[in-house]
Amino acid sequence: MKDKIVIIGASGHGKVVADIAKLNGYKEIIFLDDDETKDIIGKYLVAGRSKDIDNYKDECDCIIAIGNNTIREKIYNKLSKLGINQITLIHPTAVIDKTVVIEEGTVVMANAVLNADVKIGKGCIINTAATIDHDCTINDFVHISPGVKIAGTVDIGKRTWIGIGSSIINNLTICDNCIIGAGSTVIYDIKCSGTYVGSPVRELINEKNFNFSK
């Protein structure tokens, strides 16, 4: 671990990631963002654009703080090709069983609970007070929103976004590239990519391109 960390993505989510970084012992926080109108985020200055990461790669760790799963994946892959060290950040109040596996680039936020034999892939967001029970697999670049409850032995596919306060019963599979709307209840396997809402969930057939994460 280095003393400095670069956070790519100057947003509200980025500010939360910065707070977790400080709690993990980082002394200096450096933000990069490709929005040229951003020069400050909260109490932090925006030092440049994502292309400027080369200036910091030898002296800083790095994490991506972008909620959009597809964009996060693209930047992650670009940084990996450059050999940049992408770390995992875990809030000190998170409860994580010793058997849990968490891959690089993932952030686990305050009061999250990860129980026995959970596997978390690369570049995931496990947001505030989300609970993931035993033997679940959360694949790469998934976003589990605040307050989500996932029962045991659930497999969630790549780039899927689970909306705030949603619940998923045990022994289910959700395929890649799904959006589960806020407050939804998933009680059956989801085998086709799309947007699903309600309790129990139903697919929004005519609104597949609607992005609940904006």
Side-chain angles (χ1 to χ4, degrees):
M1 175 179 157
K2 299 172 182 175
D3 288 337
K4 303 177 185 178
I5 186 170
V6 171
I7 299 173
I8 297 178
S11 63
H13 175 61
K15 288 190 287 186
V16 178
V17 172
D19 288 341
I20 298 172
K22 280 196 162 186
L23 290 169
N24 276 264
Y26 286 96
K27 305 301 183 186
E28 185 175 347
I29 310 292
I30 299 163
F31 272 98
L32 302 177
D33 196 287
D34 288 337
D35 183 346
E36 294 185 359
T37 67
K38 289 184 177 179
D39 55 10
I40 193 167
I41 177 69
K43 59 187 176 183
Y44 303 101
L45 294 175
V46 178
R49 311 302 159 214
S50 61
K51 63 181 175 58
D52 299 322
I53 188 66
D54 264 350
N55 299 332
Y56 303 98
K57 67 180 183 180
D58 294 329
E59 60 182 21
C60 298
D61 290 330
C62 180
I63 195 163
I64 303 163
I66 295 173
N68 184 292
N69 295 333
T70 301
I71 295 173
R72 193 166 66 258
E73 179 181 24
K74 287 179 180 177
I75 296 174
Y76 178 97
N77 290 336
K78 186 181 296 185
L79 296 181
S80 294
K81 288 179 181 178
L82 293 172
I84 291 169
N85 183 37
Q86 299 181 69
I87 52 90
T88 296
L89 279 180
I90 299 172
H91 196 283
T93 63
V95 178
I96 300 177
D97 187 82
K98 64 181 180 180
T99 60
V100 171
V101 175
I102 304 174
E103 296 194 41
E104 67 178 14
T106 287
V107 58
V108 180
M109 296 192 171
N111 298 314
V113 177
L114 309 182
N115 281 330
D117 293 311
V118 165
K119 296 178 182 178
I120 309 290
K122 298 178 291 189
C124 292
I125 301 169
I126 311 301
N127 223 312
T128 307
T131 62
I132 303 175
D133 221 309
H134 63 88
D135 299 294
C136 288
T137 299
I138 311 299
N139 287 284
D140 298 344
F141 309 107
V142 166
H143 185 171
I144 307 296
S145 295
V148 168
K149 295 178 175 62
I150 302 175
T153 322
V154 170
D155 189 304
I156 297 180
K158 292 180 180 180
R159 293 173 297 276
T160 285
W161 182 76
I162 310 295
I164 188 169
S166 296
S167 299
I168 303 171
I169 71 166
N170 57 306
N171 303 315
L172 295 186
T173 297
I174 298 175
C175 67
D176 298 348
N177 301 311
C178 283
I179 295 171
I180 307 298
S184 296
T185 306
V186 183
I187 63 170
Y188 52 81
D189 289 344
I190 294 179
K191 299 179 180 180
C192 296
S193 299
T195 298
Y196 295 80
V197 299
S199 184
V201 291
R202 67 191 187 284
E203 186 177 11
L204 289 182
I205 300 296
N206 297 320
E207 299 184 52
K208 284 188 176 181
N209 295 322
F210 188 85
N211 187 352
F212 282 86
S213 63
K214 287 184 179 178

